[in-house]
Structure formats: C-alpha cells, structure tokens
Amino acid sequence: MKTFFRPSSIAVIGASAREDSLGGQIINNLLYGYKEAIYPVNPNYKEIKGLRCFPTVEAIPASVDMAIVIVPAPAVPAALAACGRKGIYRVIIESAGFSETGPEGRALQDKCTAIAHAAGIRVWGPNCMGLVDIPRQHFFTFMHPNIYKEGLIPGRISMVVQSGMLSAGFLVDLMSDRAIGIGKACSIGNKSDVDECDILEYLLDDDETDAIAFYLESIPRGRRFIELANQSPKPIVVLKGGKSSAGAKAALSHTSSLAGNARLQDSVLTLAGVTIAHDFQQMMELARALAMIPHTPPHCRTAIMTFSGGAGILSCDLLEEQGLVVAELSCETKRELAAVFPDWLPSSNPVDLFPAFALKGPVAAYDGAFNALIKDPQVDVIFMHYFAGLYPNYGALPLMKEAADKAGKVLIMWVIGRRDNLRTFKRECQESDIPVHSELSRTVECLAAASRYKRRKPVAVNNHTARNPALPSGAADILSKGKGRRVWDEFDSKQLLAICGIPVVDERIAKTVDEAASLAQKIGYPVVMKGLLPGEVHKTESGLVRPGIATSAGIKVTFEDLMNRMNGQGRILLQRQLSIDYELIAGYLRDAQFGPCVMFGLGGIFSELQRDVVFATAPLTLQSALELIFRIKGSKLLQGFRGMTPINQKAMAGILVGLGNLGAACPQIEQIDINPLIVSGGNPVAVDASIILATI
C-alpha cells in the first residue's frame, strides 16, 4: 500500500491539456504539490503543462511506480493490460462506468479485475476520486483545484470514504467551517481490489495518523475489519450507509429479524472498539475528539464556563443525558471564584461569567475562572463556552491547553460568533489541539464518546490464526439425521444444543394421549404442551403453546385440540414447566459481511418489540461472552434487580460460547434461535429453540 501513498513516479493515462477536463485537473493537481516525476499519457498531445506527453505507458523511457487511469470505461481493460506489460503494479482507476451502472458495468469491472490479477496489479477503485495527502500537498485526484486554493488545514485524522464527491466537497466543509485538520483522504469507490481493510492496515502503521474515520456502504471483509479494529491502538470511527434497507433473506427466526437495520453491524463494531457515527460531520468531529483527548475518567466530572446562563443550564442537561457528571466544586475553588465575581453572586457550577465581565472584563474573567477550576481535584473536564468576535481577541488558548495537559484534565470548547472571527478562533483551537464544536449537543456527544473509548494496546496485525472449533461427540450424527430439512422443530433443535453443552428443559415427545399422560407423570405437573408443525417457528402466534396443564384430563383435552389445529400433521411435545424470573434470547446467524455471529438480549414474546439485543462475531472466548451479556441496556436485570437472583454469569457465557462454536463448526447452519431462554433461580435454560439450515 505504501506505493499508492508515496509513489516515486506517476503516469496519468487519459491526461489532457483542457483545463475543464478530468484528465486536465489531475495534471493540475499533481503539479500543485507532487515533486516527483509525472508522465502524462495521451496520443493526442506532445506535451501538457510543460510535461512531455507519451502516446502509451510503454513509450515512457523510465520505470513508473503508479498509474492514474481516467479514460472512458471501455478503454480501461486495455490500459490495465498496458500497465502490466510496462511493469506498473499500482493503478488508481478514477474512471466511472463499472459495477455502479448495472450488469454490463459489473462484467466490465470483473474483466478489469481478471486482467489486473493476472498481471499482479493492485487496483484502487474504479469509480473513485483517488487520494489526497494534505500535509504533503499530494492530490492524486481529479477534484477541482479550487479545493486547495481555499486553504486546507493539515492534521492527523485520516478519512476513508466509499463515495466519490464526498471526499471533495466534504473537505471544504470540514476545514473551512469546522476547522478539522485532515491528514489523508481516501476515496475507494467500487473496491474491486483495494478496500477499507487494506487502507486501515496501512493507516494503523502510519506515524502521521492519530485517528481514522470511515464512511462505508459495505464491509465485504467484515471479519478482517473487526480483527484489525480489535488490535488498533488508534481510534476508529465508522459511519455506515444503507442501514435502513431490508435484508435480502427472509427473517425466519427472531435472531435474523433482530439483526436487521444495522443492529448487528453496529454491535460487532462497537464491541471491537469502533465508535459509531450517524452523520458525516459527526463522524469527523468524533474522530477529532478521540484523537485530541487521550484519556478521560469514566464520569468526566465537568465544570462549565459560560457567557450565558441558559447555555450553562442546557449543558448540564446534555451532560446528564449522556451519563456524565456535572462537577461539584470544592470549597477552595468557590472561594477563588468569589474574587472574580460580584459580591452578590454565589459561586457555582455552571460558572456564569457574564456578571464578572462588567466587574473584571472578559479576559480577566475567563482567566480567573479557568485558573481556579484547573486546580480543583473534583474537576476532570473544563467545558468552555466562547463567543468569537464579541470580546477582545483571546490569545490564551495554547497556555490553557498546556495547563490542562499538565493537570491531567480535558479542555473542550463550544464556540459561536461572527463568521470571520469564528473561523479564526476555530483554527487557533485546532492548532492548539483543543476540540472545538459549533453545537452544544455535538460537544457533549464527543466528550461522552471519549469517556467511553478504551485504547487498545498496539499489537502486530498480521499474526491472526483463525480458531476452528470442533463439533462435540454425537453432533455430527444429529446433523446427518436432519439433512434435507431447512427448519428444525424445537425438539430436534434442543437435542443438538444439549450435546453442545447448552442446558435445555426436561421434555419428551408423546405419540398418543395415553403416552402423554404417562410422560406428564414422570416429568411432574404442571407441564407445558406444544404442537410441533414441520417448518413452523412461531408457535405462540399459531396457538400451539399451552402452559399450566396440571391434570391428566387437561392432558387429553389439550392433546386432541393441538392435533386438530395441526390437522394431524405434527408432533406433541411435553415440557416441565419451570418458574420464570425473566426471559432472554440467545441466537446465532451467519452474516454476509461478518460471518458467524452470536446474539444475546431480552427475550420472550416481546423480543422484537423491545429489541434490546447485542451481537458479537463467533467463536467467542468466555471473557468476550461475559462482556457481551452486560452490554444490553437492561443489564441491571441480570444483576439481581429488585431482589431477584442474579444470573449465573458463567452458565450464560457458556451458552453463548457453545452457540458460537456450534455455528462456526457447521457452515450448513444459517440461524439458531433460543427464545425464550428463561432464567429460573438465576440459571438460564433453553425452553424453545429452532435451527435453520442454509438453502442448498
């Protein structure tokens, strides 16, 4: 990947002397800051912008590190083949007209991929805008030259986007209005070869990148992305497009249904330490905050310095909504603040500076309050509000940042004001490594994200060895008996789960009424009776679940009714009826992007209504399973809520490990659903389950 970012020479196939053409803009952009050899390629020119132009890449007399291709899509295969003959093994295809256009474009893209693979060429794109390295002033792109004439702010946040124009217009907004410094901006387009995993691996090792932001519409190598994220010492922020579209597969199980609408991807990414964003600006502001705030205590006891009482009150509300703490100021801090404020105003948090402006002046008021708060041992964060352009120019930002770092505290700012003054002030904050935001809510969001983020220890990213769990003894026999059936009923499903160490309720199949009565005596009243129809997963909705049966007469009536409802086509299942503390759901599915995944959450008939579930890639370790079960919003329920027995954590974690191992060891299993997984006396037990095999 290094050759893409730092080539020693570049050929531009499709270069042009026309200023308004894409090939002309690429040449202009390269000439702006790239200091190495540039070779325009176009048979219609002898020279472009003072550079000798060649009819083909093979006519270039020197070796070439990388080519940028900007010819019409039908001409790209020939250009790639020529690069292979010339020995150019890194190619950025910025031309459009490939898989994004439909089947014909997909076929053309596949042809290009085959040519590149045969020649040993790595391809970036197609249908992309290439890459930009702002500190080096490298613009390997056709974006309009006005982009850098606006004055780009170099920084240490790198971004990777799948969209094309996003990397151009978005940069202007980030740098002019939000003063976010960018290191590298990578537009990867259709990702026929080079994808987000390749670039992430490079950026993790890049000394010039402190945080990485992604806008992605798909993550085909999801497991590799998770693997890299888990090992990343740098913050990663992901904005994922296309969350609202329905899944391609029918949601036969609760697990599959609950995985929809990005719950699975957000959950597995979060578990890997990734911060999830919900819009473009938030993506980059989160990345900046995580890069600039190296450490925050979990509760972030926050002192607010404000020029507006209303803004101070709203800040308190926003902090508490995010689970952060408004600091209780020490007595010493209050005494020191009293010297800044009028006698009639008691010292408190938020620190409303406006009354002190008339007494001391704005600069003295800010200095006095900051100097008092920075020494307070009960303050972790100083949340400073400022109005740029209303007060005299305030040049103490570098000193404030230095004092905050020395005290081990966080300084974060919300600023509004006159446009030109605002832009200058934000730029000064950026240069001083102070996170600055234009919205109160965004400021608090970013502070909260920093408080939740846990930095990983740096480890090598290439020593992954996949764990391949083995099937327990006897599991293969049950699987072979179920061959040919897509949906297993709960009795057969639980037989396989039990072999894998997952506790299941005591239950029997009854073929006749008399056998049902006899089995009920052995199991012990009361019992639950169920009708098991082939292919039926949601029995409750079909009236096939009957709890609380306590007599042999009840057994007879229920047996006959269930058989009538099933038209004699199903089986009758009897189960011991257990006392229920509460109901959970556990499941497994094989996701198209992330592969084998395990789900856990609140369950029962309300599982799809509450939708309090989390996911993790499988197989799981016992420790990762323990971490997963306490990530649900209702985790207090598991800890002995209102006098209930706390859940047996080891047993619950063991169920999730067993589910993950079973699914990972059996590629033919598409989904497993345990719903409900009841908790009785603190112990989780599977009372209903289904296994769904992949279609052949």
Side-chain angles (χ1 to χ4, degrees):
M1 293 303 296
K2 185 177 180 180
T3 304
F4 281 116
F5 287 90
R6 298 192 191 177
S8 60
S9 56
I10 299 176
V12 181
I13 303 175
S16 175
R18 287 175 46 203
E19 296 285 341
D20 61 346
S21 70
L22 299 185
Q25 288 176 186
I26 290 175
I27 294 295
N28 283 335
N29 292 340
L30 289 174
L31 288 171
Y32 178 77
Y34 183 65
K35 305 302 182 185
E36 308 298 332
I38 303 170
Y39 302 108
V41 177
N42 189 325
N44 298 317
Y45 298 96
K46 297 297 183 183
E47 67 90 25
I48 296 175
K49 292 285 184 178
L51 300 170
R52 181 184 172 188
C53 189
F54 298 90
T56 66
V57 291
E58 293 165 286
I60 299 172
S63 61
V64 179
D65 252 9
M66 186 179 80
I68 299 174
V69 176
I70 191 67
V71 298
V76 171
L80 274 174
C83 286
R85 292 191 295 270
K86 176 63 179 173
I88 304 173
Y89 299 115
R90 298 295 180 267
V91 177
I92 300 178
I93 303 175
E94 300 188 10
S95 310
F98 295 92
S99 62
E100 77 279 6
T101 65
E104 290 185 8
R106 163 59 68 182
L108 183 60
Q109 182 170 307
D110 291 344
K111 181 179 181 180
C112 291
T113 300
I115 292 170
H117 181 75
I121 297 171
R122 294 300 309 272
V123 172
W124 181 306
N127 184 36
C128 72
M129 293 191 70
L131 69 93
V132 172
D133 185 328
I134 291 171
R136 285 186 173 76
Q137 297 187 333
H138 287 177
F139 296 87
F140 305 160
T141 175
F142 59 79
M143 68 172 63
H144 197 280
N146 283 344
I147 190 75
Y148 43 77
K149 293 177 183 176
E150 292 288 328
L152 299 181
I153 303 173
R156 298 182 60 84
I157 300 171
S158 291
M159 58 185 289
V160 182
V161 297
Q162 200 167 336
S163 172
M165 290 305 295
L166 177 64
S167 60
F170 189 42
L171 286 175
V172 175
D173 175 74
L174 290 176
M175 298 191 187
S176 62
D177 290 343
R178 297 178 185 268
I180 295 178
I182 305 295
K184 298 171 177 68
C186 309
S187 167
I188 52 179
N190 293 2
K191 304 187 294 189
S192 68
D193 177 17
V194 172
D195 64 8
E196 56 279 343
C197 295
D198 295 306
I199 298 177
L200 175 56
E201 190 166 348
Y202 175 84
L203 293 175
L204 290 180
D205 198 40
D206 179 28
D207 293 337
E208 299 169 353
T209 295
D210 291 339
I212 309 159
F214 289 89
Y215 167 70
L216 300 171
E217 291 156 10
S218 65
I219 313 177
R221 290 199 292 155
R223 291 184 76 83
R224 178 57 176 162
F225 192 89
I226 292 297
E227 175 187 306
L228 291 167
N230 265 318
Q231 299 168 336
S232 172
K234 302 176 182 181
I236 298 171
V237 180
V238 170
L239 170 63
K240 180 70 168 55
K243 290 185 176 184
S244 60
S245 59
K249 294 182 179 179
L252 293 178
S253 69
H254 289 93
T255 300
S256 179
S257 174
L258 290 167
N261 295 329
R263 285 186 196 87
L264 185 148
Q265 69 183 20
D266 284 0
S267 188
V268 298
L269 288 170
T270 299
L271 196 63
V274 172
T275 300
I276 303 298
H278 302 289
D279 63 51
F280 297 126
Q281 286 76 19
Q282 186 196 40
M283 174 183 78
M284 295 306 297
E285 292 190 58
L286 284 169
R288 175 177 60 184
L290 294 173
M292 289 183 172
I293 302 175
H295 172 72
T296 49
H299 296 299
C300 286
R301 297 171 300 174
T302 302
I304 303 160
M305 295 171 56
T306 185
F307 55 82
S308 162
I313 292 169
L314 182 56
S315 296
C316 292
D317 294 342
L318 292 168
L319 287 165
E320 291 190 358
E321 285 175 9
Q322 290 285 349
L324 306 180
V325 175
V326 178
E328 180 65 39
L329 303 182
S330 69
C331 294
E332 178 59 31
T333 298
K334 291 180 179 180
R335 281 194 294 270
E336 195 167 339
L337 286 172
V340 180
F341 291 92
D343 294 338
W344 54 267
L345 182 66
S347 302
S348 62
N349 186 22
V351 181
D352 187 351
L353 296 169
F354 191 77
F357 288 174
L359 182 67
K360 299 285 186 177
V363 173
Y366 271 106
D367 282 344
F370 180 85
N371 291 334
L373 295 171
I374 200 68
K375 294 181 291 188
D376 194 328
Q378 296 174 195
V379 172
D380 304 314
V381 178
I382 295 179
F383 182 6
M384 181 173 162
H385 301 177
Y386 195 76
F387 194 112
L390 187 60
Y391 314 121
N393 186 41
Y394 192 56
L397 292 175
L399 296 176
M400 283 184 160
K401 172 63 174 174
E402 183 180 350
D405 288 347
K406 188 175 180 180
K409 300 186 179 183
V410 175
L411 173 61
I412 192 167
M413 303 197 70
W414 168 64
V415 60
I416 58 175
R418 300 169 65 181
R419 189 175 73 172
D420 292 342
N421 301 91
L422 189 60
R423 186 173 297 181
T424 300
F425 188 86
K426 286 182 177 180
R427 182 75 177 256
E428 291 171 352
C429 287
Q430 165 73 23
E431 292 170 352
S432 299
D433 281 339
I434 300 172
V436 58
H437 307 272
S438 298
E439 300 87 15
L440 273 175
S441 58
R442 184 59 50 81
T443 315
V444 177
E445 281 176 3
C446 290
L447 179 61
S451 74
R452 292 189 291 264
Y453 176 68
K454 296 180 181 178
R455 293 182 182 271
R456 263 68 168 164
K457 293 181 179 179
V459 295
V461 296
N462 289 319
N463 58 358
H464 171 71
T465 54
R467 290 179 291 124
N468 296 309
L471 275 175
S473 175
D477 291 338
I478 294 179
L479 283 165
S480 64
K481 291 177 183 178
K483 190 175 181 181
R485 286 183 293 153
R486 175 154 165 71
V487 180
W488 289 16
D489 68 28
E490 69 167 279
F491 181 74
D492 292 341
S493 297
K494 279 180 282 185
Q495 281 195 311
L496 180 57
L497 296 179
I499 285 179
C500 296
I502 295 171
V504 302
V505 65
D506 187 9
E507 61 186 16
R508 306 284 194 282
I509 291 290
K511 296 179 181 178
T512 66
V513 171
D514 291 340
E515 186 180 9
S518 175
L519 289 174
Q521 290 287 343
K522 294 177 182 178
I523 292 173
Y525 288 108
V527 297
V528 179
M529 293 182 69
K530 299 180 180 180
L532 307 184
L533 264 174
E536 177 63 65
V537 175
H538 305 301
K539 295 179 293 295
T540 300
E541 292 88 332
S542 301
L544 298 177
V545 178
R546 306 293 176 83
I549 300 170
T551 65
S552 58
I555 293 286
K556 179 180 179 183
V557 170
T558 304
F559 189 99
E560 292 174 350
D561 183 52
L562 289 174
M563 290 302 293
N564 286 334
R565 283 181 176 269
M566 296 186 295
N567 295 318
Q569 300 301 309
R571 300 191 291 175
I572 302 297
L573 178 68
L574 277 78
Q575 295 178 336
R576 179 190 299 276
Q577 183 161 323
L578 301 175
S579 62
I580 300 175
D581 299 341
Y582 49 88
E583 296 181 341
L584 301 172
I585 183 171
Y588 163 89
L589 60 82
R590 187 172 292 271
D591 183 71
Q593 294 185 101
F594 297 101
C597 293
V598 167
M599 184 194 74
F600 172 75
L602 298 183
I605 60 173
F606 301 113
S607 58
E608 290 190 45
L609 178 63
Q610 294 169 320
R611 299 182 183 274
D612 185 5
V613 294
V614 289
F615 294 82
T617 53
L620 295 170
T621 64
L622 190 63
Q623 182 58 43
S624 60
L626 287 168
E627 183 180 348
L628 184 68
I629 65 178
F630 288 104
R631 294 183 72 89
I632 63 171
K633 296 174 184 176
S635 61
K636 286 185 179 180
L637 189 66
L638 313 179
Q639 301 173 47
F641 183 69
R642 292 194 172 182
M644 289 189 292
T645 304
I647 194 169
N648 183 331
Q649 296 181 27
K650 187 175 180 180
M652 186 64 248
I655 290 173
L656 298 179
V657 170
L659 276 174
N661 286 344
L662 173 60
C666 300
Q668 66 267 45
I669 295 179
E670 182 181 286
Q671 302 166 32
I672 303 173
D673 204 40
I674 305 178
N675 184 39
L677 177 71
I678 71 163
V679 178
S680 179
N683 293 309
V685 181
V687 297
D688 198 351
S690 60
I691 290 175
I692 299 170
L693 302 184
T695 54
I696 300 174

